[in-house]
Amino acid sequence: MTTLDALRRLIIIPAFNEAGNLPRVIPEIRNQAPGFDLVVVDDGSSDDTSAVARGLGALVISLPVNLGYGGAVQTGFRFAVRHDYDLAVVVDADGQHDPANIVDLAQVVAAGQADVAIGSRFRGRADYSIPWAKRTGMKVFAWVVSTITGQQVTDPTSGFQALNREVLRFFAYDNYPVDYPDADTLLVLHYAGFRTREAPVTIRQRLSGVSMHSGWKPFYYIGKMWLAIAMVLLREKTHFRQAKVARS
Amino acid sequence: MSLQARLYLLLLGLGVLAIAINMARTKRLRESYALLWLLVGAGLTISPFIADHLDQWALRLGFPYAPSLLLMLAIIGLLLIIFLLSISISRNSEQIKTLIQEIGLLRHEIQRLQGQIAGQETPRPPAHEPPHALPSDEPRDPA
């Protein structure tokens, strides 16, 4: 068992047009999670996200064009691997992820209880109402993942995660979706032999701006999700092999 | 098939061949794709010469109306080309994603180094940074 203080730890904040939220989110994260380095991945924002983040003293990786949530997070993973971090926590820039839970998630990984700790709003609290369609979708995918992995999963869509070094390596160059890490990502981890564990977190109402789950996207999302899950099942063996490489 | 129709087909086939070869020669079309279009051109070029057999083949394959066999073959050919393009776009997207990520990481590195050179207080570099990993030590893009 390793204590958190002995580890080099990073907070990855993917941000797309979040200049309005960062001045509140970054200081709050710093307060709640001291000792973490903080990197903001500006996903091709058209506003001042990069400048604001830099002004707040964060490390900034600014992508020349918009890649999407997963692509931005993966950039953070690459950064973590290259700079030899032991552990990284992904926190959204819109203020939805309560920074008070960052250390809790990191502890789970640091203590070796899991390779990935996933913040679950259903084990913790959701301070906003989730639309029924989205809630139903989440339940269905939670059931699918729970059934396949034989482990109770309540919040497969949670992006609030802490990951250890091996998982960072596994995700940094492959195996991570460009759009949203989701139920399929949990299955990938399962087949790769990584241990995941949910921990209670609070997901709050976003401070300002537009959520990425709006408009027609939910329909595309559901179709893509089933396909992604089917593909993971077909690729079962490949993931295991790649995980072995990441561990070596 | 009338002589006139055969002539049109022959000209069309030769035209496609000429354009494909020229585009490949001037490097505006990659050889792998040029090959595809050369096949299309070749098919069109020889078609007027085998048109007479077409009726027989169509009947043997269960197409009572020969042109529908032609149409089906054309559609299959087009779908194949589109499919190959989709594969190529998927590979390109993956490569572009990697490039964008690398550009972001390199930009960060440049800014950090510029800060160091200027001797200013820059965003704090990670505590004990490893000797700089060059992209070559990473798993290669399978594409």
Side-chain angles (χ1 to χ4, degrees):
Chain A
M1 180 167 156
T2 325
T3 61
L4 202 52
D5 290 336
L7 300 177
R8 296 198 64 224
R9 47 208 193 276
L10 177 73
I11 290 174
I12 299 168
I13 307 177
F16 178 58
N17 291 339
E18 298 283 5
N21 290 329
L22 289 178
R24 282 153 79 184
V25 173
I26 289 182
E28 204 187 347
I29 292 176
R30 276 206 196 292
N31 267 337
Q32 298 279 356
F36 281 77
D37 284 332
L38 222 144
V39 66
V40 172
V41 183
D42 173 10
D43 191 11
S45 300
S46 52
D47 67 1
D48 291 335
T49 297
S50 279
V52 170
R54 212 167 277 129
L56 291 162
L59 302 165
V60 178
I61 297 170
S62 137
L63 302 179
V65 293
N66 181 251
L67 267 189
Y69 182 84
V73 172
Q74 193 182 42
T75 310
F77 293 162
R78 281 181 183 235
F79 180 85
V81 169
R82 261 182 222 179
H83 293 279
D84 205 28
Y85 282 95
D86 297 307
L87 182 156
V89 183
V90 181
V91 184
D92 281 0
D94 58 11
Q96 280 199 294
H97 295 163
D98 187 346
N101 300 127
I102 293 174
V103 174
D104 302 339
L105 288 175
Q107 288 284 14
V108 173
V109 174
Q113 294 169 343
D115 299 306
V116 185
I118 297 151
S120 165
R121 74 202 86 178
F122 299 114
R123 287 183 196 272
R125 227 171 63 222
D127 283 353
Y128 65 103
S129 65
I130 305 165
W132 69 269
K134 194 178 171 191
R135 187 180 280 270
T136 313
M138 282 171 160
K139 283 219 170 106
V140 172
F141 289 123
W143 176 80
V144 172
V145 176
S146 303
T147 309
I148 295 174
T149 61
Q151 193 183 353
Q152 182 70 29
V153 174
T154 58
D155 198 350
T157 60
S158 172
F160 198 6
Q161 304 182 341
L163 312 92
N164 73 8
R165 181 188 279 273
E166 285 74 32
V167 180
L168 287 171
R169 280 187 58 161
F170 179 62
F171 278 157
Y173 302 104
D174 200 359
N175 305 311
Y176 205 69
V178 191
D179 33 19
Y180 306 110
D182 220 307
D184 55 327
T185 318
L186 295 181
L187 292 180
V188 167
L189 286 170
H190 170 72
Y191 284 124
F194 289 113
R195 297 163 303 145
T196 57
R197 188 183 175 126
E198 283 192 336
V201 295
T202 303
I203 307 285
R204 309 180 292 193
Q205 184 73 267
R206 54 180 285 124
L207 294 173
S208 70
V210 188
S211 160
M212 55 192 176
H213 295 285
S214 51
W216 283 96
K217 283 184 183 160
F219 294 96
Y220 159 76
Y221 162 79
I222 289 172
K224 188 223 115 178
M225 222 35 251
W226 286 116
L227 181 66
I229 288 175
M231 287 304 132
V232 173
L233 297 178
L234 290 174
R235 286 187 206 124
E236 194 183 325
K237 288 202 179 74
T238 324
H239 291 309
F240 188 71
R241 254 200 324 272
Q242 286 171 346
K244 261 175 78 180
V245 174
R247 284 202 179 90
S248 60
Chain B
M1 192 184 274
S2 73
L3 189 65
Q4 213 174 2
R6 283 173 207 244
L7 200 63
Y8 291 150
L9 263 181
L10 183 69
L11 285 177
L12 182 67
L14 290 175
V16 171
L17 281 177
I19 291 172
I21 290 171
N22 194 42
M23 295 283 261
R25 186 183 65 83
T26 52
K27 292 186 178 171
R28 278 177 293 169
L29 187 63
R30 268 214 199 190
E31 278 83 354
S32 48
Y33 296 113
L35 201 64
L36 209 67
W37 288 106
L38 286 177
L39 281 176
V40 172
L44 284 170
T45 311
I46 59 166
S47 61
F49 302 104
I50 57 169
D52 295 332
H53 304 283
L54 195 71
D55 276 325
Q56 286 175 336
W57 294 341
L59 269 176
R60 231 177 270 170
L61 288 169
F63 291 83
Y65 181 58
S68 65
L69 172 67
L70 257 188
L71 210 63
M72 195 190 74
L73 289 176
I75 290 174
I76 290 175
L78 290 175
L79 283 178
L80 187 74
I81 290 178
I82 295 171
F83 185 64
L84 289 174
L85 288 178
S86 302
I87 292 175
S88 142
I89 289 173
S90 302
R91 196 182 51 223
N92 289 349
S93 314
E94 191 57 33
Q95 291 169 337
I96 290 170
K97 183 196 78 176
T98 307
L99 286 176
I100 293 171
Q101 292 178 330
E102 284 303 321
I103 288 173
L105 290 163
L106 289 174
R107 269 184 178 178
H108 167 80
E109 229 21 66
I110 289 171
Q111 245 159 10
R112 199 177 62 78
L113 293 173
Q114 273 177 341
Q116 266 183 9
I117 291 168
Q120 294 162 350
E121 187 61 41
T122 48
R124 194 163 48 87
H128 33 272
E129 204 168 314
H132 261 293
L134 290 169
S136 58
D137 63 1
E138 285 152 18
R140 281 235 157 229
D141 189 344

